[in-house]
Short mmCIF file of all heavy atoms in Angstrom, two decimals:
data_model
loop_
_atom_site.label_atom_id
_atom_site.label_comp_id
_atom_site.label_asym_id
_atom_site.label_seq_id
_atom_site.Cartn_x
_atom_site.Cartn_y
_atom_site.Cartn_z
N SER A 284 -0.12 -7.43 -11.62
CA SER A 284 -0.57 -6.19 -12.19
C SER A 284 0.56 -5.45 -12.82
O SER A 284 1.71 -5.50 -12.32
CB SER A 284 -1.15 -5.26 -11.07
OG SER A 284 -2.30 -5.82 -10.50
N VAL A 285 0.28 -4.86 -13.94
CA VAL A 285 1.27 -4.06 -14.69
C VAL A 285 0.83 -2.60 -14.65
O VAL A 285 -0.35 -2.30 -14.93
CB VAL A 285 1.44 -4.55 -16.14
CG1 VAL A 285 2.45 -3.65 -16.91
CG2 VAL A 285 1.90 -6.00 -16.16
N ALA A 286 1.73 -1.71 -14.34
CA ALA A 286 1.41 -0.31 -14.16
C ALA A 286 2.15 0.58 -15.16
O ALA A 286 3.35 0.38 -15.38
CB ALA A 286 1.72 0.15 -12.73
N LEU A 287 1.47 1.53 -15.70
CA LEU A 287 2.07 2.63 -16.45
C LEU A 287 2.30 3.77 -15.48
O LEU A 287 1.37 4.37 -14.98
CB LEU A 287 1.20 3.05 -17.59
CG LEU A 287 1.72 4.22 -18.49
CD1 LEU A 287 2.98 3.76 -19.21
CD2 LEU A 287 0.64 4.68 -19.49
N ALA A 288 3.56 4.08 -15.23
CA ALA A 288 3.94 4.99 -14.15
C ALA A 288 4.58 6.28 -14.72
O ALA A 288 5.45 6.20 -15.58
CB ALA A 288 4.89 4.35 -13.17
N TYR A 289 4.08 7.40 -14.26
CA TYR A 289 4.66 8.68 -14.58
C TYR A 289 5.57 9.12 -13.43
O TYR A 289 5.09 9.26 -12.30
CB TYR A 289 3.59 9.74 -14.82
CG TYR A 289 4.08 11.13 -15.07
CD1 TYR A 289 4.65 11.43 -16.32
CD2 TYR A 289 4.05 12.13 -14.10
CE1 TYR A 289 5.13 12.72 -16.56
CE2 TYR A 289 4.51 13.37 -14.34
CZ TYR A 289 5.04 13.68 -15.56
OH TYR A 289 5.51 14.96 -15.80
N LYS A 290 6.86 9.26 -13.69
CA LYS A 290 7.81 9.46 -12.60
C LYS A 290 8.50 10.79 -12.74
O LYS A 290 8.82 11.23 -13.85
CB LYS A 290 8.87 8.36 -12.63
CG LYS A 290 8.33 6.94 -12.53
CD LYS A 290 9.41 5.92 -12.68
CE LYS A 290 8.83 4.52 -12.79
NZ LYS A 290 8.23 4.05 -11.56
N THR A 291 8.74 11.43 -11.61
CA THR A 291 9.60 12.61 -11.55
C THR A 291 10.59 12.36 -10.45
O THR A 291 10.42 11.55 -9.55
CB THR A 291 8.81 13.89 -11.23
OG1 THR A 291 8.25 13.78 -9.90
CG2 THR A 291 7.68 14.11 -12.22
N SER A 292 11.73 13.06 -10.53
CA SER A 292 12.75 12.92 -9.51
C SER A 292 13.53 14.21 -9.35
O SER A 292 13.54 15.07 -10.26
CB SER A 292 13.74 11.77 -9.86
OG SER A 292 14.55 12.19 -10.96
N SER A 293 14.18 14.34 -8.23
CA SER A 293 15.04 15.51 -7.99
C SER A 293 16.21 15.08 -7.13
O SER A 293 16.09 14.09 -6.38
CB SER A 293 14.27 16.62 -7.29
OG SER A 293 13.74 16.17 -6.05
N SER A 294 17.35 15.77 -7.22
CA SER A 294 18.48 15.45 -6.41
C SER A 294 19.26 16.70 -6.14
O SER A 294 19.02 17.75 -6.72
CB SER A 294 19.37 14.40 -7.10
OG SER A 294 20.17 15.03 -8.10
N ASN A 295 20.24 16.56 -5.26
CA ASN A 295 21.10 17.72 -4.90
C ASN A 295 22.39 17.75 -5.70
O ASN A 295 23.29 18.54 -5.36
CB ASN A 295 21.42 17.71 -3.41
CG ASN A 295 22.35 16.56 -3.04
OD1 ASN A 295 22.45 15.60 -3.78
ND2 ASN A 295 23.02 16.68 -1.91
N SER A 296 22.55 16.90 -6.69
CA SER A 296 23.79 16.87 -7.47
C SER A 296 23.97 18.13 -8.28
O SER A 296 23.01 18.70 -8.83
CB SER A 296 23.82 15.64 -8.39
OG SER A 296 22.80 15.74 -9.33
N ARG A 297 25.19 18.64 -8.38
CA ARG A 297 25.49 19.80 -9.15
C ARG A 297 25.68 19.37 -10.62
O ARG A 297 26.15 18.27 -10.88
CB ARG A 297 26.77 20.43 -8.63
CG ARG A 297 26.61 20.96 -7.22
CD ARG A 297 27.89 21.59 -6.70
NE ARG A 297 28.97 20.62 -6.61
CZ ARG A 297 29.16 19.81 -5.57
NH1 ARG A 297 28.32 19.85 -4.55
NH2 ARG A 297 30.16 18.95 -5.53
N PRO A 298 25.33 20.20 -11.56
CA PRO A 298 25.51 19.82 -12.97
C PRO A 298 26.99 19.57 -13.27
O PRO A 298 27.85 20.36 -13.01
CB PRO A 298 25.05 21.08 -13.72
CG PRO A 298 24.14 21.78 -12.76
CD PRO A 298 24.70 21.54 -11.42
N ARG A 299 27.27 18.37 -13.80
CA ARG A 299 28.66 17.96 -14.14
C ARG A 299 28.59 17.23 -15.45
O ARG A 299 27.59 16.62 -15.83
CB ARG A 299 29.29 17.15 -13.06
CG ARG A 299 29.45 17.88 -11.74
CD ARG A 299 30.10 16.96 -10.69
NE ARG A 299 30.16 17.60 -9.38
CZ ARG A 299 31.21 18.27 -8.96
NH1 ARG A 299 32.28 18.48 -9.76
NH2 ARG A 299 31.21 18.81 -7.73
N SER A 300 29.66 17.12 -16.12
CA SER A 300 29.72 16.38 -17.39
C SER A 300 30.11 14.94 -17.13
O SER A 300 31.12 14.68 -16.43
CB SER A 300 30.73 17.05 -18.33
OG SER A 300 32.02 17.04 -17.73
N GLN A 301 29.34 14.04 -17.60
CA GLN A 301 29.61 12.59 -17.49
C GLN A 301 29.91 12.12 -16.06
O GLN A 301 30.95 11.59 -15.75
CB GLN A 301 30.78 12.21 -18.41
CG GLN A 301 30.39 12.05 -19.89
CD GLN A 301 29.16 11.20 -20.07
OE1 GLN A 301 28.21 11.61 -20.70
NE2 GLN A 301 29.18 10.02 -19.50
N THR A 302 28.98 12.44 -15.16
CA THR A 302 29.10 11.88 -13.80
C THR A 302 28.56 10.45 -13.81
O THR A 302 27.92 10.01 -14.77
CB THR A 302 28.31 12.73 -12.80
OG1 THR A 302 26.94 12.63 -13.12
CG2 THR A 302 28.75 14.16 -12.84
N PHE A 303 28.81 9.75 -12.70
CA PHE A 303 28.38 8.36 -12.62
C PHE A 303 26.87 8.25 -12.78
O PHE A 303 26.36 7.30 -13.38
CB PHE A 303 28.82 7.79 -11.28
CG PHE A 303 28.48 6.34 -11.10
CD1 PHE A 303 29.26 5.35 -11.63
CD2 PHE A 303 27.37 5.98 -10.38
CE1 PHE A 303 28.96 4.01 -11.45
CE2 PHE A 303 27.07 4.63 -10.19
CZ PHE A 303 27.87 3.66 -10.71
N LEU A 304 26.15 9.21 -12.25
CA LEU A 304 24.68 9.21 -12.32
C LEU A 304 24.16 10.00 -13.48
O LEU A 304 22.98 10.39 -13.50
CB LEU A 304 24.08 9.71 -10.99
CG LEU A 304 24.39 8.84 -9.80
CD1 LEU A 304 23.72 9.44 -8.55
CD2 LEU A 304 23.90 7.42 -9.99
N GLY A 305 24.96 10.35 -14.43
CA GLY A 305 24.50 11.10 -15.57
C GLY A 305 24.57 12.58 -15.30
O GLY A 305 25.01 13.05 -14.26
N THR A 306 24.10 13.38 -16.24
CA THR A 306 24.16 14.85 -16.12
C THR A 306 22.83 15.41 -15.61
O THR A 306 21.82 15.12 -16.13
CB THR A 306 24.46 15.48 -17.52
OG1 THR A 306 25.68 14.94 -18.00
CG2 THR A 306 24.58 16.98 -17.42
N GLY A 307 22.91 16.19 -14.52
CA GLY A 307 21.73 16.86 -14.02
C GLY A 307 20.92 15.99 -13.06
O GLY A 307 20.77 16.30 -11.93
N PHE A 308 20.36 14.90 -13.55
CA PHE A 308 19.54 13.97 -12.78
C PHE A 308 18.19 14.57 -12.37
O PHE A 308 17.63 14.19 -11.38
CB PHE A 308 20.29 13.47 -11.54
CG PHE A 308 19.72 12.16 -11.05
CD1 PHE A 308 20.00 11.00 -11.69
CD2 PHE A 308 18.85 12.13 -9.95
CE1 PHE A 308 19.47 9.80 -11.26
CE2 PHE A 308 18.30 10.96 -9.50
CZ PHE A 308 18.62 9.76 -10.17
N ASP A 309 17.63 15.46 -13.16
CA ASP A 309 16.26 15.89 -13.02
C ASP A 309 15.50 15.52 -14.28
O ASP A 309 15.84 15.97 -15.35
CB ASP A 309 16.16 17.41 -12.79
CG ASP A 309 16.70 17.82 -11.42
OD1 ASP A 309 16.50 17.06 -10.46
OD2 ASP A 309 17.34 18.86 -11.34
N TYR A 310 14.43 14.67 -14.14
CA TYR A 310 13.76 14.25 -15.33
C TYR A 310 12.32 13.82 -15.05
O TYR A 310 11.93 13.61 -13.89
CB TYR A 310 14.51 13.04 -16.00
CG TYR A 310 14.58 11.83 -15.10
CD1 TYR A 310 13.59 10.83 -15.14
CD2 TYR A 310 15.64 11.64 -14.20
CE1 TYR A 310 13.62 9.72 -14.33
CE2 TYR A 310 15.69 10.52 -13.41
CZ TYR A 310 14.71 9.58 -13.46
OH TYR A 310 14.77 8.48 -12.66
N LYS A 311 11.53 13.74 -16.11
CA LYS A 311 10.17 13.26 -16.04
C LYS A 311 10.01 12.20 -17.12
O LYS A 311 10.44 12.40 -18.26
CB LYS A 311 9.18 14.38 -16.23
CG LYS A 311 9.27 15.46 -15.12
CD LYS A 311 8.27 16.56 -15.38
CE LYS A 311 8.36 17.63 -14.29
NZ LYS A 311 7.36 18.75 -14.50
N ASP A 312 9.36 11.13 -16.81
CA ASP A 312 9.31 10.07 -17.80
C ASP A 312 8.19 9.08 -17.46
O ASP A 312 7.63 9.09 -16.37
CB ASP A 312 10.67 9.32 -17.80
CG ASP A 312 10.94 8.63 -19.14
OD1 ASP A 312 10.05 8.71 -20.00
OD2 ASP A 312 12.02 8.07 -19.30
N LEU A 313 7.85 8.26 -18.46
CA LEU A 313 6.88 7.19 -18.30
C LEU A 313 7.63 5.89 -18.31
O LEU A 313 8.50 5.64 -19.15
CB LEU A 313 5.84 7.23 -19.44
CG LEU A 313 4.79 8.35 -19.38
CD1 LEU A 313 3.97 8.33 -20.65
CD2 LEU A 313 3.88 8.15 -18.17
N ASN A 314 7.30 4.96 -17.41
CA ASN A 314 7.93 3.67 -17.31
C ASN A 314 6.88 2.61 -16.99
O ASN A 314 5.79 2.90 -16.57
CB ASN A 314 9.02 3.69 -16.24
CG ASN A 314 10.17 4.58 -16.59
OD1 ASN A 314 11.10 4.19 -17.26
ND2 ASN A 314 10.10 5.83 -16.08
N ILE A 315 7.30 1.35 -17.17
CA ILE A 315 6.46 0.19 -16.87
C ILE A 315 6.91 -0.43 -15.59
O ILE A 315 8.10 -0.78 -15.45
CB ILE A 315 6.45 -0.83 -17.99
CG1 ILE A 315 5.99 -0.22 -19.32
CG2 ILE A 315 5.58 -2.02 -17.66
CD1 ILE A 315 4.55 0.28 -19.28
N ASP A 316 6.01 -0.57 -14.59
CA ASP A 316 6.33 -1.21 -13.33
C ASP A 316 5.41 -2.42 -13.15
O ASP A 316 4.50 -2.66 -13.95
CB ASP A 316 6.10 -0.26 -12.13
CG ASP A 316 7.11 0.92 -12.20
OD1 ASP A 316 8.20 0.74 -12.73
OD2 ASP A 316 6.74 1.98 -11.66
N GLY A 317 5.62 -3.15 -12.08
CA GLY A 317 4.79 -4.34 -11.86
C GLY A 317 4.64 -4.66 -10.36
O GLY A 317 5.52 -4.28 -9.54
N VAL A 318 3.54 -5.36 -10.02
CA VAL A 318 3.33 -5.83 -8.68
C VAL A 318 2.83 -7.29 -8.78
O VAL A 318 1.91 -7.60 -9.52
CB VAL A 318 2.27 -5.00 -7.89
CG1 VAL A 318 2.08 -5.58 -6.51
CG2 VAL A 318 2.69 -3.54 -7.83
N MET A 319 3.53 -8.16 -8.04
CA MET A 319 3.13 -9.58 -7.99
C MET A 319 2.77 -9.97 -6.58
O MET A 319 3.50 -9.60 -5.63
CB MET A 319 4.27 -10.46 -8.52
CG MET A 319 3.93 -11.97 -8.61
SD MET A 319 4.11 -12.90 -7.02
CE MET A 319 5.88 -12.82 -6.80
#
Side-chain angles (χ1 to χ4, degrees):
S284 295
V285 178
L287 179 64
Y289 176 75
K290 304 175 187 292
T291 65
S292 71
S293 59
S294 79
N295 68 340
S296 62
R297 298 179 296 276
R299 298 180 184 267
S300 60
Q301 282 309 128
T302 65
F303 183 81
L304 295 181
T306 303
F308 201 77
D309 290 324
Y310 63 90
K311 297 179 180 180
D312 205 357
L313 287 173
N314 294 274
I315 301 296
D316 295 334
V318 179
M319 184 277 293

